[in-house]
Each structure stands twice: as C-alpha cells, then as structure tokens.
Amino acid sequence: MAPRRSSFLADFKAFINKGNVVDLAVAVVIAAAFGKVVEAVVSQVMTSLLEPALKAAQVDSINAWPAGAVIVALINFFVIAFVVFLIVKTIEATKRKEAAVAPPDTQAQLASAVTRLAEALDRKGL
C-alpha cells in the first residue's frame, strides 16, 4: 500500500502545482473580495435611489408582494450588472489611455524583425 499512497500524494502534488489550479484559487479569492465591494456599492445605490422611490409610491416592502423576492432579486441583478458594467468600462478606458500614451516603437520592431530574419537565414545556411 505504501507505493500507492505515495503515488496518490505525488499525483495530488502535481495537480496542485499546475498553474490553472493556483490561478483559479487566486481568482476566487479576488472575486470574493470584489463581490463585497460591489455589494457595498449596490447597497448604497439601493438605499439612495430605490427607497425614496418606494416611499413616494407608498410601498412599504416589495418583499411582502407575492413575487416580491423575485422582484428584489431582479432589481439587485440589474443594479449589480450596471455597476460591474461601469467598472469594466472605466478599466477599459484606462487601458486605452495607457495604450495611446505609449505607441509601439516601430524602429525597435523593425530591428527585431531583421535580427530574427538574419538568424533564420543563418540556420538555413543561406
């Protein structure tokens, strides 16, 4: 049984050491932290925008309605989706600005291409 156990442990170690597992674990931790940020923003939006509208409509609680929980879940979904959309748009705009600031160095690219071509020709013996 000892060889089988060490094989199992070796297989487990190989599985854990794969980059995808570690990357996935990091993504889950970051997503959990980001989820709390989104939840805080949504809570703020819900309290500042939705509650006054509900009070003006003289609605005490949507949850008391027959499909109230579904309506609340849908509202939360759309608010969360909108907040995430705004965050992604902001990040994309920042990346575009960074890309526009640093245009590619065409001379360096040309020199690199010439060097690679010369090396390829040398390997071929031409």
Side-chain angles (χ1 to χ4, degrees):
M1 281 198 176
R4 185 175 188 179
R5 187 175 206 190
S6 67
S7 174
F8 177 78
L9 291 176
D11 290 346
F12 181 70
K13 182 180 176 185
F15 172 75
I16 291 298
N17 286 331
K18 287 184 181 177
N20 293 344
V21 173
V22 175
D23 292 344
L24 179 60
V26 170
V28 168
V29 170
I30 290 175
F34 184 69
K36 292 182 185 202
V37 172
V38 171
E39 183 179 328
V41 171
V42 168
S43 175
Q44 186 68 29
V45 168
M46 295 294 281
T47 19
S48 64
L49 296 179
L50 193 58
E51 280 186 11
L54 290 174
K55 285 180 183 174
Q58 297 178 348
V59 175
D60 292 333
S61 175
I62 294 177
N63 282 329
W65 297 355
V70 173
I71 293 170
V72 169
L74 285 171
I75 292 170
N76 284 341
F77 170 77
F78 284 115
V79 171
I80 289 170
F82 184 69
V83 168
V84 171
F85 170 76
L86 291 177
I87 291 170
V88 169
K89 290 289 276 184
T90 303
I91 291 171
E92 287 176 354
T94 303
K95 286 182 180 178
R96 280 193 298 267
K97 285 180 185 176
E98 289 174 359
V101 169
D105 185 7
T106 54
Q107 291 296 328
Q109 289 177 342
L110 182 59
S112 175
V114 168
T115 303
R116 286 194 315 268
L117 180 60
E119 288 172 355
L121 290 173
D122 284 345
R123 281 193 302 262
K124 295 276 185 185
L126 298 176

